[in-house]
Amino acid sequence: MEIEGKFDNMKRSLFLLISLIVLGTTSCNAVKEIEEYIKPLQEFIKPLQEFIKPLQEFIKPLQELIEASPSPTPTVSPVAEKEQRRLFVIEQDEKYGYINNMGEILIPPRFDRVKDFFEGLAAVKIEEKWGYINERGQIVIKPEYESVLRFSEGLAPVKKIGQRWSYINRNGGVVIEPQFEDAVYFSEGLARVTIDGKWGYIDQTGKIVIKPEYNGQTGRGFFIDGLAAVRIGTGYEYGYIDQTGEVIIEAKYDFAGDFIDGLARVQIGDRWGYIDKNGKEVITPKFEFSQDFSDGLAPVKINDKYGYIDTSGKRVIQPQYDFAGNFSEGLAEVRIDDKYGYINAVNEMIIDPEFDNAFAFSNGIAEAWVEEKKGYIDNIGRFIWSSSN
């Protein structure tokens, strides 16, 4: 019966993933629900790791969907959110464009798919090929790629049909030749790449500085504050390496997050807590789930409800929500039953829970959905742009 229950959960999670592909977008509700179903399955799916490896190319489109999402999931590195957003993705009549934080359309919807701007450039899809535009909507790197990721530290990973991943500069020039099975953006001067099914790290010249011998979850392995969380050895455990590849914190965690303000969330068994950069448990793993700290607070799950703790582990907002997101610009999205609203750091409901889906604030606005109406709200909950405009 236990195995049957796990298969039922797995089938439900797979159904949600397939739904994401069909819809062509990343639903925050689905991602959050998938995360809750997947957690109990971790021990069950460990033996499948080697079987899953050949499916990496099939899974790649899911990576793109997550990368394109305007709001990070709890397991996406905060490195992607450091840059202040000036333009925001909109969709009209199955075409995509961009608005500013006043709701003004600056780049009319004319692209088949788009991603967020980073370093002044955004990836756009035209007739099945990806290229890049600037903030005026001008194509600066012609669409000729099967898959692309965002620019970071002046370079972007790209892949043409029939080739491996390479890196281009802001002019579209190839800086690092196609040679990687997988590649992600740079963080603190290094980028994670996959060679023969293993993670390693390159510098901006393409030189391998940490030999490929690691594994880990998609969306992990970025260097943050000098350390990266990776799977070490043949076990499923995570530890931390520095930029020379030296193991700084031993591999003993079922999950290991990024260091934010000196603390990283870790999972031991079915419990979550926080460690410092010396590997010391600062907050004992006792939560059913936890997320990264932001604005000095972190969402944690206790008895099926979410609340918030401070960096000492003290509960500052008691568990009372069905979901709780990270604080951004003084507000955090929370769910009560099936509706989202926003609270401040002293647990005052600033925007009433009336949305079917809600995302983090950036540059004064946040994406929110009500039934078929999808758009952006200001910090008092008013739509400044919606798909019904």
Side-chain angles (χ1 to χ4, degrees):
M1 292 296 292
E2 181 181 355
I3 291 178
E4 288 179 5
K6 289 179 178 178
F7 269 114
D8 287 341
N9 283 342
M10 181 178 289
K11 285 188 291 185
R12 179 173 175 81
S13 297
L14 287 174
F15 173 78
L16 289 167
L17 283 170
I18 292 168
S19 298
L20 293 181
I21 298 173
V22 172
L23 290 173
T25 186
T26 302
S27 163
C28 188
N29 277 340
V31 172
K32 292 167 184 173
E33 188 173 354
I34 289 167
E35 184 175 56
E36 294 299 315
Y37 277 97
I38 285 176
K39 282 190 298 175
L41 300 177
Q42 286 181 330
E43 289 296 323
F44 179 77
I45 64 175
K46 285 179 188 178
L48 301 179
Q49 295 300 310
E50 294 301 318
F51 175 78
I52 287 172
K53 285 180 183 178
L55 301 179
Q56 286 178 330
E57 283 302 313
F58 174 78
I59 292 171
K60 192 65 185 180
L62 294 179
Q63 268 185 278
E64 290 187 11
L65 293 176
I66 293 170
E67 177 73 16
S69 173
S71 178
T73 70
T75 58
V76 170
S77 171
V79 113
E81 294 301 304
K82 285 183 178 179
E83 186 172 312
Q84 178 78 300
R85 293 171 67 190
R86 294 190 295 271
L87 297 180
F88 300 81
V89 175
I90 59 170
E91 179 187 3
Q92 283 183 331
D93 300 324
E94 298 184 351
K95 294 291 183 181
Y96 294 84
Y98 298 85
I99 61 170
N100 62 15
N101 65 349
M102 301 297 290
E104 300 167 332
I105 295 178
L106 298 189
I107 302 176
R110 64 178 187 271
F111 304 107
D112 298 317
R113 284 271 306 280
V114 299
K115 301 188 181 186
D116 285 326
F117 276 90
F118 285 94
E119 298 187 357
L121 299 178
V124 299
K125 194 173 189 180
I126 303 173
E127 297 180 354
E128 303 304 319
K129 296 291 181 67
W130 288 92
Y132 293 84
I133 61 172
N134 61 22
E135 292 182 340
R136 289 176 290 179
Q138 300 168 326
I139 295 176
V140 294
I141 299 175
K142 67 179 182 179
E144 57 180 341
Y145 302 104
E146 176 188 22
S147 300
V148 297
L149 295 180
R150 69 177 180 85
F151 272 88
S152 62
E153 301 180 13
L155 300 177
V158 297
K159 181 179 183 294
K160 291 183 178 181
I161 294 176
Q163 292 188 3
R164 294 197 168 196
W165 285 83
S166 62
Y167 287 83
I168 59 173
N169 61 23
R170 292 169 55 84
N171 297 318
V174 177
V175 176
I176 302 173
E177 295 293 332
Q179 58 191 287
F180 308 114
E181 297 157 23
D182 195 7
V184 299
Y185 45 81
F186 278 87
S187 174
E188 299 186 359
L190 299 179
R192 195 199 79 217
V193 296
T194 304
I195 300 173
D196 295 331
K198 296 291 186 180
W199 289 4
Y201 292 83
I202 60 171
D203 63 19
Q204 292 189 341
T205 69
K207 177 184 176 182
I208 295 175
V209 295
I210 301 177
K211 67 179 182 179
E213 58 180 332
Y214 308 106
N215 286 311
Q217 294 182 8
T218 299
R220 314 307 307 164
F222 299 99
F223 275 96
I224 309 292
D225 205 10
L227 297 178
V230 295
R231 278 178 54 197
I232 299 172
T234 57
Y236 193 75
E237 290 77 21
Y238 280 84
Y240 291 85
I241 59 172
D242 66 14
Q243 292 189 334
T244 68
E246 181 181 353
V247 177
I248 302 301
I249 299 175
E250 68 172 301
K252 59 180 180 179
Y253 305 107
D254 294 293
F255 177 89
D258 300 310
F259 279 93
I260 309 297
D261 296 330
L263 295 180
R265 64 193 181 110
V266 295
Q267 180 186 15
I268 299 178
D270 62 352
R271 295 293 154 173
W272 296 73
Y274 297 83
I275 61 172
D276 64 19
K277 293 183 68 175
N278 295 316
K280 177 184 176 182
E281 288 184 1
V282 176
I283 301 174
T284 302
K286 57 185 176 182
F287 306 111
E288 295 163 25
F289 187 64
S290 69
Q291 298 187 48
D292 293 322
F293 277 93
S294 61
D295 294 350
L297 299 177
V300 296
K301 189 176 184 182
I302 302 170
N303 295 328
D304 284 330
K305 293 291 183 180
Y306 283 85
Y308 292 83
I309 59 172
D310 63 19
T311 53
S312 71
K314 177 184 176 182
R315 296 186 196 178
V316 294
I317 297 177
Q318 294 300 318
Q320 57 196 278
Y321 300 109
D322 295 303
F323 178 82
N326 290 108
F327 276 92
S328 176
E329 301 184 0
L331 297 175
E333 73 271 24
V334 296
R335 190 178 79 226
I336 299 175
D337 295 326
D338 60 351
K339 295 295 182 181
Y340 286 85
Y342 292 83
I343 61 171
N344 63 15
V346 294
N347 200 30
E348 296 171 330
M349 188 66 70
I350 303 301
I351 301 175
D352 290 334
E354 58 185 9
F355 304 103
D356 297 322
N357 214 338
F359 299 79
F361 271 87
S362 177
N363 204 4
I365 65 175
E367 185 178 0
W369 305 357
V370 178
E371 295 179 349
E372 297 302 315
K373 186 177 183 180
K374 300 180 182 180
Y376 294 89
I377 59 173
D378 62 18
N379 56 16
I380 60 173
R382 298 176 303 188
F383 274 95
I384 60 109
W385 187 91
S386 75
S387 55
S388 60
N389 283 8

